[in-house]
Amino acid sequence: MAVATQQLKPAAAQIFREMRDLTVGILFCGRRFGKTRLLLLTGLTRCLEQPGAVVFYIAPSRKMAKDISWRTLKESVPPAWAHRVMESTLTIEFINGSRITLGGWDHADALRGQ
């Protein structure tokens, strides 16, 4: 499933269109709203539009980030866009120098310096 064909639910799609210029936002959403796809699509868009961008997707734990988002993220990135896909660090580096990394708050000290 390519980013261009990524399906968002109507409310999530409206938020995506309206928050294009925000760098930080807070969403209050319930279950099954589409938060994961919305945030992954926002991060991928930033990586593609801003060469050299560094994007983090942070979940409560690294395991949750991997279980919930890693497969969806990898399926959303065509091989032609990716320079490297690193399973061990849950990172995708793009050919334009951008990268997106999945992580967790369970080891917040590991995020320091990044």
Side-chain angles (χ1 to χ4, degrees), residues 25-51:
I26 298 173
L27 299 174
F28 294 97
C29 309
R31 295 180 67 230
R32 311 286 304 162
F33 181 84
K35 299 177 292 292
T36 298
R37 286 185 187 257
L38 171 62
L39 294 173
L40 290 176
L41 184 59
T42 301
L44 287 173
T45 301
R46 173 135 324 157
C47 284
L48 296 174
E49 292 179 351
Q50 298 177 9

Side-chain angles (χ1 to χ4, degrees), residues 24 37-38 42 44 63 67 73 80 86 100 112:
V24 176
R37 286 185 187 257
L38 171 62
T42 301
L44 287 173
K63 183 179 182 335
D67 292 346
L73 178 61
M86 294 174 278
I100 186 166
R112 190 174 300 164

Side-chain angles (χ1 to χ4, degrees), residues 60-82:
S61 71
R62 186 178 185 281
K63 183 179 182 335
M64 287 177 69
K66 183 175 184 178
D67 292 346
I68 295 168
S69 305
W70 183 238
R71 176 176 285 191
T72 303
L73 178 61
K74 288 192 309 182
E75 290 173 352
S76 298
V77 178
W81 295 357

